[in-house]
Amino acid sequence: GNGERYGENYELPNATAYNETCAAIANVYWNHRMFLLHGDSKYIDILEKILYNGLLSGIGLDGKSFFYTNAMQITNGFKHPDIEFTRSGWFECSCCPTNLVRLIPSIPGYVYAKKGSDLFVNLFVSGKASFSLNDQQVQIIQKNNYPWEGKLLFEIDPAQPNRFTLRIRIPGWAQNKAMPSSLYRFTDQSFAQTTIRVNGEPSVYTVENGYALISRTWKKGDQLEMDLPMEIRKVKADDNLAEDIGKLALQRGPLMYCSEWTDNAGLTHNLLLPEETKLRPVYVPELLNGVTVLKGELPAVKVENNQQISTKKQEFTAIPYYSWANRGQGEMQLWFPSVIRDISFITK
């Protein structure tokens, strides 16, 4: 926050990083322009991760409260000038609220792109869109429950039979890539495959720059179904990122998950996430406007007499990161220690 500037390489502190909402928005703009220049899905992978996480967290579920800095860790008793414990209704410098007001209505413009007779499907958002391809009108209707479910339906409705190529993005997270760089990686290899069917029949497709290519003469009433594997993945950071050595984060689909005090016995900083932990997704329609949470059991650490360490399994719930700080003020954690390295992170 000192000068709103970059620190050293790999300097990404969870509690005090200045993850400004405006910077996330600028990152969306940048990656969209890089995609338009190169046609590579890796830029949309980053754009999508920003949209669903560090950008969307910048606005409350009430639609009128805002974060400037989007912390990744809140611990009782620890304060810092750059930490926001709750969202604010306004700021003296109001760039974040006004930038969000500008960005959110522009999202339809990021869903599709076209080049010649190729139509790029970048984001999975229910709705209708119309295009001119080969000088003919084509309408596409998306029907899905993304990002909670990976089953996607596309209804292709050309004015008359039209041969063109659908380039549908296969997200990096569905191809064992937590991020299109070495900064973050999944802890294990998934063998789940993305499947595509056209009019109910399995489709063999090639992949180019992260896009599945489906070339055919499309006719009115054609349907394409795509099934993305929505597994719960654990994420590790590059070892150069000292703040996150020995820690894991949780991801399902494009969403990163965190724990909040209200779901986890009042604390989050005392939770461990062993790499072998099994979690399950549960959709809770009445929670936070309807979210899929991750549930399981985690060891909670307790320190007595400043030296006696014990752990006890307790019920654990993780919520999508974007939805935190909508139920009052308390602890929050995004990166979880996988083992006990020291007791400094436990309240005495």
Side-chain angles (χ1 to χ4, degrees):
N2 180 11
E4 296 188 343
R5 58 190 174 88
Y6 291 104
E8 298 296 324
N9 290 342
Y10 300 102
E11 185 183 348
L12 295 168
N14 295 317
T16 59
Y18 201 83
N19 303 313
E20 188 184 6
T21 300
C22 282
I25 293 171
N27 212 350
V28 165
Y29 294 153
W30 169 263
N31 281 286
H32 185 238
R33 284 158 177 75
M34 292 296 285
F35 157 74
L36 293 175
L37 186 63
H38 297 289
D40 195 318
S41 72
K42 67 182 181 181
Y43 301 110
I44 304 298
D45 284 345
I46 297 177
L47 184 154
E48 180 185 62
K49 179 156 280 189
I50 294 163
L51 275 179
Y52 281 103
N53 297 285
L55 184 152
L56 195 55
S57 62
I59 186 168
L61 297 181
D62 59 5
K64 55 186 179 181
S65 56
F66 306 90
F67 270 140
Y68 219 98
T69 59
N70 301 285
M72 293 184 288
Q73 177 180 312
I74 299 293
T75 306
N76 291 341
F78 180 79
K79 295 182 179 180
H80 187 275
D82 293 336
I83 294 179
E84 293 172 288
F85 298 94
T86 59
R87 293 178 181 84
S88 301
W90 201 247
F91 303 98
E92 183 177 348
C93 176
S94 63
C95 57
C96 294
T98 50
N99 259 338
L100 280 167
V101 167
R102 177 174 64 165
L103 182 282
I104 291 176
S106 75
I107 289 175
Y110 303 129
V111 177
Y112 299 99
K114 65 174 185 174
K115 182 178 181 180
S117 59
D118 289 0
L119 180 62
F120 293 77
V121 182
N122 285 328
L123 299 178
F124 309 123
V125 180
S126 289
K128 297 180 181 180
S130 296
F131 311 89
S132 176
L133 285 169
N134 302 321
D135 297 322
Q136 298 175 18
Q137 283 299 114
V138 177
Q139 183 182 75
I140 292 186
I141 301 174
Q142 282 200 50
K143 297 179 179 179
N144 60 58
N145 191 29
Y146 191 85
W148 313 120
E149 297 176 13
K151 295 183 181 298
L152 313 175
L153 175 64
F154 304 86
E155 296 180 354
I156 319 298
D157 190 10
Q160 53 187 325
N162 191 344
R163 184 168 185 82
F164 59 88
T165 299
L166 269 183
R167 290 177 175 259
I168 306 178
R169 182 176 65 96
I170 301 179
W173 53 260
Q175 302 181 72
N176 288 302
K177 299 174 186 175
M179 186 71 85
S181 77
S182 61
L183 186 59
Y184 301 109
R185 66 188 187 277
F186 292 131
T187 58
D188 60 351
Q189 186 85 357
S190 170
F191 298 98
Q193 297 293 313
T194 295
T195 60
I196 295 178
R197 294 181 297 278
V198 176
N199 297 329
E201 297 296 324
S203 177
V204 178
Y205 58 87
T206 58
V207 178
E208 185 179 293
N209 291 333
Y211 290 90
L213 275 59
I214 311 293
S215 298
R216 57 181 274 127
T217 299
W218 298 92
K219 301 179 180 65
K220 189 176 182 67
D222 281 348
Q223 291 190 342
L224 183 146
E225 299 168 89
M226 187 174 185
D227 199 347
L228 299 171
M230 300 290 284
E231 299 174 293
I232 299 171
R233 309 298 297 273
K234 299 182 183 73
V235 181
K236 275 187 177 178
D238 187 286
D239 289 342
N240 287 304
L241 208 171
E243 177 85 5
D244 293 329
I245 290 177
K247 296 180 181 179
L248 300 173
L250 293 168
Q251 180 173 344
R252 181 177 183 267
L255 296 177
M256 301 305 299
Y257 279 76
C258 68
S259 61
E260 258 199 318
W261 60 282
T262 187
D263 306 306
N264 296 282
L267 297 174
T268 62
H269 75 276
N270 64 332
L271 297 173
L272 298 178
L273 179 62
E275 195 164 324
E276 67 275 11
T277 302
K278 302 296 184 185
L279 300 171
R280 66 188 186 279
V282 179
Y283 184 68
V284 187
E286 68 275 10
L287 178 66
L288 298 166
N289 290 352
V291 292
T292 293
V293 303
L294 309 182
K295 285 187 171 290
E297 281 190 338
L298 292 190
V301 181
K302 183 178 181 181
V303 178
E304 296 178 317
N305 301 323
N306 292 334
Q307 57 183 2
Q308 293 180 329
I309 302 174
S310 61
T311 62
K312 182 180 179 180
K313 284 285 187 76
Q314 71 175 45
E315 292 295 316
F316 170 74
T317 298
I319 62 172
Y321 170 75
Y322 78 79
S323 65
W324 81 278
N326 282 284
R327 296 175 292 171
Q329 183 174 323
E331 291 199 342
M332 182 272 294
Q333 189 94 345
L334 192 144
W335 285 95
F336 300 87
S338 54
V339 295
I340 300 174
R341 292 183 178 272
D342 59 63
I343 63 172
S344 62
F345 71 98
I346 304 299
T347 300
K348 305 294 191 296

